[in-house]
Amino acid sequence: MKYVLVSGGVISGIGKGVIASSLGMILKSCGIRVTSIKIDPYINIDAGTFSPYEHGEVFVLDDGGEVDLDLGNYERFLDITLHRDNNITTGKIYQHVINRERRGDYLGKTVQVVPHITDAVQEWVERVAKIPVDGDNKIPEVCIVELGGTIGDIEGMPFIEAFRQFFHFRVKREDYCCVHVSLVPQPGSTGEQKTKPTQQSVRELRGLGLSPDIIVCRCQTPVAESVKSKISLFCHVEPQQVFSIHDVSSIYRVPLLLTEQGVSEYLMKRLNLNHPSPHNNRWMLRWKDLASRHDQLLREVTIALVGKYTQLEDAYASVIKALQHSALCVSHRLNLRYIEAADLELEKLKENPSKYHEAWHQLVSANGILVPGGFGIRGTEGKILAANWARTKNIPFLGVCLGLQCAVIEFARNALSMEGANSTELDSATKYPVVIDMPEHNTGQMGGTMRLGKRKTVFNAKTCITKKLYGNKDYVEERHRHRYEVNPKFIQKFEDAGMKFVGRSTDGERMEIMELEGHQYFVGVQYHPEYISRPMKPSPPYLGLLLAATGKMQAYRSRGYRMSPHLSYSEGNEEDDEELAEIVRNLSTEDVQEASSKDSSPNEES
């Protein structure tokens, strides 16, 4: 097993996750089986109880693990399926060690950070690195480990010490590579790129017993060769081991930047791997095409995201990625409007009329509306109003988790005349509890008590649009994260009025997919399809929203709901490759001309 440890210095949020994902993607493009581990030094057992404002969204895995959003990046870049143990936290390690101490495994010894905690970290990494993640039951060859936080943080010290021991006593020199991501600031007053923060960060890392083999410099503009030479001199690495990652148009460009600078050749040499270069293989060519298409899009589609946590983009990281994947598929640039759900409510009209009218203006001028998941009462009436606007004005709509529940509540109130219909989460005394908590819901505990992970949804209608978007499958498996569900006692009334529940759980009791008859696209799903969306395999419900919002649903239907070949991960299909070259390298002249004719702004990006 080969290990690549990615650490970060100077500031948090510097992009370690994207760098780690990009390195993994480059290695995978060379034909190497890759897995990933994310280490979070916080004491929480997992990310399940975090507020979205703390660490962004909670990403859910197939096995129900609630983990850091960086694992979503790994899955999207590498197209792999990770497990809950691929996310290590201080809480998990301490819980594991304390449980062993209670069982008497340490034979009465004094349990200490060194060696017991550090040994537990090393054993955990060794064990998880060998778990297959590609679906072929083959053991990975390289494990990318991202160490969360910043070098010097006190909570990360046990992990640094664990890897110092691991790389010096358990792993051979040719079996590991240390990558350090650091900031090269460029003050506006001088415009000069400063190396001192990187020097200090590397000095601290080396003082803790780890020497970087690769230094990745994050900067606004490409790092000058003279700056690279200076970092090389003061940080004890060769100039070719210093890589520049400047601000780019999309994260799809990051693996390409690293590849252009020779990172694959260095990793092959450093880790003693004998694999072909990724420059001209099929995987990397598709990735280049993806990045080029992203940058060449001219036409725009506007989607209103009506949520509760709109102040922080990371709170909806997977939702945004799923929208971007689908927008790319329909050859449109995504213009995403974040609308605070509470701003749509009548109370806001009294408190702040300008904010209320601005929110509604943003909503009514959008091509499509998305209501994502969430918890609690704040903003739910605004989400219900957004669902009402989409339903009554025939605007494409997708409701996810709570979004589905809000659409059901709105329909009950306004189409079925159930005044005061609500969810028991929001109003426990409602006369019409159209959304109820699940029987297995444990109200006394928060962590890990939801319906989590991959579950099967069976289609019970042959002609529904969602089934066709999924390729006419009889069932789909998607990831869930919820405590409340649509009340089955009201289903007959809903369906008689035109709100059809076309997908249900295997026992038929849980409503999973909803479609509204007579509407161009009004869909709600109880699960979270964004979790398994991929850049070249967009999530079908999100793709349906973008197709409807861009007016392409009819054309897509006429092609038999066939996905364009450049968005497929299928291997070895020469016909697809020829069509890929035709479609991608020659961006649709018709699209360009149509966009140009509509473009009236001299400042529009061309």
Side-chain angles (χ1 to χ4, degrees):
M1 179 64 64
K2 311 287 185 178
Y3 297 93
V4 177
L5 177 66
V6 180
S7 60
V10 185
I11 60 171
S12 60
I14 199 169
K16 298 186 299 298
V18 174
I19 298 297
S21 301
S22 299
L23 292 173
M25 180 264 167
I26 291 167
L27 290 170
K28 187 165 183 175
S29 69
C30 295
I32 299 168
R33 293 188 299 278
V34 181
T35 186
S36 291
I37 294 174
K38 172 67 188 295
I39 295 176
D40 287 303
Y42 47 67
I43 298 176
N44 303 63
I45 299 296
D46 59 32
T49 56
F50 278 147
S51 160
Y53 290 126
E54 285 286 322
H55 284 266
E57 76 166 3
V58 177
F59 191 79
V60 177
L61 303 172
D62 273 5
D63 61 5
E66 297 174 286
V67 297
D68 185 85
L69 58 84
D70 276 324
L71 273 78
N73 266 335
Y74 304 155
E75 288 202 339
R76 284 186 286 268
F77 267 67
L78 306 178
D79 196 33
I80 56 178
T81 302
L82 299 174
H83 312 278
R84 65 173 76 233
D85 284 351
N86 288 85
N87 191 196
I88 303 175
T89 69
T90 297
K92 284 182 180 178
I93 295 296
Y94 272 77
Q95 186 181 59
H96 173 71
V97 170
I98 290 169
N99 288 340
R100 290 188 62 187
E101 186 275 331
R102 293 289 84 187
R103 289 198 306 266
D105 291 357
Y106 298 117
L107 301 175
K109 291 183 178 178
T110 302
V111 180
Q112 297 174 293
V113 173
V114 180
H116 301 101
I117 295 296
T118 53
D119 283 352
V121 172
Q122 296 171 60
E123 291 162 7
W124 193 301
V125 169
E126 279 189 310
R127 173 177 60 83
V128 173
K130 296 175 183 177
I131 299 175
V133 293
D134 277 323
D136 57 5
N137 290 323
K138 292 183 179 179
I139 296 175
E141 299 169 87
V142 176
C143 179
I144 310 285
V145 183
E146 180 193 345
L147 178 59
T150 306
I151 294 301
D153 292 347
I154 190 168
E155 60 264 30
M157 292 299 182
F159 294 102
I160 295 288
E161 174 59 21
F163 280 102
R164 184 195 69 80
Q165 297 174 17
F166 189 57
F167 291 152
H168 281 77
F169 304 121
R170 294 199 186 196
V171 180
K172 294 179 181 178
R173 182 71 183 97
E174 66 270 18
D175 290 339
Y176 73 88
C177 176
C178 290
V179 178
H180 189 63
V181 186
S182 184
L183 178 69
V184 177
Q186 194 169 0
S189 56
T190 63
E192 182 184 1
Q193 295 173 336
K194 299 294 185 179
T195 65
K196 193 65 70 178
T198 297
Q199 294 178 41
Q200 299 286 0
S201 180
V202 171
R203 183 179 295 117
E204 185 158 12
L205 181 63
R206 295 184 68 197
L208 295 170
L210 291 175
S211 294
D213 300 295
I214 290 176
I215 297 176
V216 178
C217 301
R218 286 284 291 112
C219 192
Q220 289 178 306
T221 57
V223 176
E225 289 300 319
S226 59
V227 175
K228 283 187 180 181
S229 299
K230 190 174 181 181
I231 291 172
S232 165
L233 180 65
F234 284 95
C235 297
H236 199 64
V237 294
E238 295 291 333
Q240 61 266 30
Q241 293 168 243
V242 181
F243 294 87
S244 165
I245 297 296
H246 58 275
D247 294 348
V248 287
S249 56
S250 73
I251 60 172
Y252 305 130
R253 288 281 174 196
V254 177
L256 304 180
L257 266 179
L258 289 169
T259 302
E260 289 167 6
Q261 296 175 66
V263 75
S264 57
E265 288 81 1
Y266 178 79
L267 287 173
M268 294 299 153
K269 182 179 178 181
R270 177 70 185 79
L271 297 174
N272 198 21
L273 293 166
N274 186 21
H275 286 268
S277 168
H279 291 281
N280 295 314
N281 67 28
R282 191 169 187 267
W283 182 287
M284 187 59 76
L285 284 174
R286 284 178 175 271
W287 198 268
K288 288 179 181 177
D289 292 331
L290 180 75
S292 297
R293 282 176 56 79
H294 180 276
D295 293 345
Q296 292 172 344
L297 296 175
L298 296 174
R299 291 188 293 176
E300 186 175 89
V301 58
T302 301
I303 301 295
L305 189 155
V306 183
K308 299 174 61 172
Y309 318 111
T310 54
Q311 296 173 19
L312 182 67
E313 281 191 22
D314 276 353
Y316 297 111
S318 292
V319 169
I320 295 168
K321 297 298 181 188
L323 287 169
Q324 290 172 345
H325 300 162
S326 297
L328 186 60
C329 178
V330 299
S331 300
H332 278 65
R333 186 171 64 244
L334 178 67
N335 175 25
L336 188 58
R337 293 177 179 171
Y338 300 94
I339 300 176
E340 184 67 33
D343 290 347
L344 299 171
E345 299 173 5
L346 285 174
E347 287 77 4
K348 183 61 68 173
L349 178 60
K350 301 172 186 175
E351 297 172 9
N352 192 332
S354 62
K355 188 173 275 191
Y356 172 84
H357 290 297
E358 174 62 22
W360 272 102
H361 173 72
Q362 295 285 329
L363 182 75
V364 302
S365 58
N367 303 119
I369 296 172
L370 170 68
V371 178
F375 298 92
I377 193 170
R378 182 179 62 83
T380 50
E381 290 300 324
K383 292 188 174 189
I384 291 168
L385 289 168
N388 175 262
W389 176 264
R391 181 178 67 84
T392 57
K393 303 300 181 183
N394 199 30
I395 305 298
F397 172 88
L398 176 63
V400 176
C401 196
L402 179 61
L404 160 69
Q405 296 168 13
C406 288
V408 167
I409 293 169
E410 186 280 323
F411 193 80
R413 291 179 184 177
N414 300 307
L416 298 179
S417 300
M418 295 181 184
E419 187 177 350
N422 217 326
S423 166
T424 55
E425 177 187 14
L426 312 174
D427 180 7
S428 58
T430 178
K431 183 180 178 182
Y432 299 104
V434 293
V435 177
I436 56 174
D437 58 338
M438 298 181 299
E440 63 268 40
H441 175 204
N442 179 356
T443 56
Q445 189 158 334
M446 294 292 287
T449 60
M450 290 183 277
R451 186 169 179 247
L452 294 164
K454 186 168 74 173
R455 311 279 177 145
K456 184 182 287 189
T457 295
V458 180
F459 288 105
N460 58 10
K462 293 183 179 179
T463 59
C464 63
I465 189 172
T466 316
K467 182 176 182 179
K468 297 221 169 79
L469 288 167
Y470 274 105
N472 268 323
K473 296 178 180 177
D474 292 328
Y475 68 89
V476 294
E477 292 182 310
E478 294 273 7
R479 298 175 183 177
H480 293 67
R481 186 176 186 251
H482 64 107
R483 290 192 180 97
Y484 294 83
E485 61 187 2
V486 179
N487 191 341
K489 293 180 180 179
F490 292 90
I491 296 308
Q492 194 59 54
K493 291 183 179 180
F494 282 115
E495 297 205 324
D496 289 344
M499 179 172 274
K500 304 293 186 180
F501 291 90
V502 298
R504 305 189 183 191
S505 59
T506 51
D507 61 6
E509 291 297 313
R510 291 192 160 113
M511 306 303 117
E512 297 282 5
I513 305 174
M514 173 275 292
E515 291 183 12
L516 187 64
E517 285 185 342
H519 196 287
Q520 63 165 322
Y521 191 81
F522 193 93
V523 172
V525 291
Q526 185 59 72
Y527 49 80
H528 289 264
E530 64 270 15
Y531 289 144
I532 59 174
S533 181
R534 302 286 186 264
M536 301 183 209
K537 291 190 293 187
S539 165
Y542 283 90
L543 178 59
L545 175 67
L546 269 295
L547 285 167
T550 56
K552 292 189 174 186
M553 182 65 82
Q554 185 59 43
Y556 190 70
R557 187 182 292 117
S558 66
R559 291 201 307 270
Y561 297 89
R562 180 176 175 268
M563 185 71 73
S564 296
H566 60 278
L567 294 167
S568 170
Y569 272 106
S570 59
E571 296 294 332
N573 191 327
E574 293 181 5
E575 292 182 6
D576 275 5
D577 282 344
E578 291 174 8
E579 193 171 349
L580 166 67
E582 182 67 26
I583 291 175
V584 178
R585 292 175 187 171
N586 304 307
L587 181 65
S588 173
T589 306
E590 187 178 319
D591 282 357
V592 173
Q593 290 174 345
E594 183 176 339
S596 300
S597 65
K598 291 180 180 179
D599 185 8
S600 59
S601 170
N603 296 321
E604 186 75 4
E605 223 178 89
S606 61

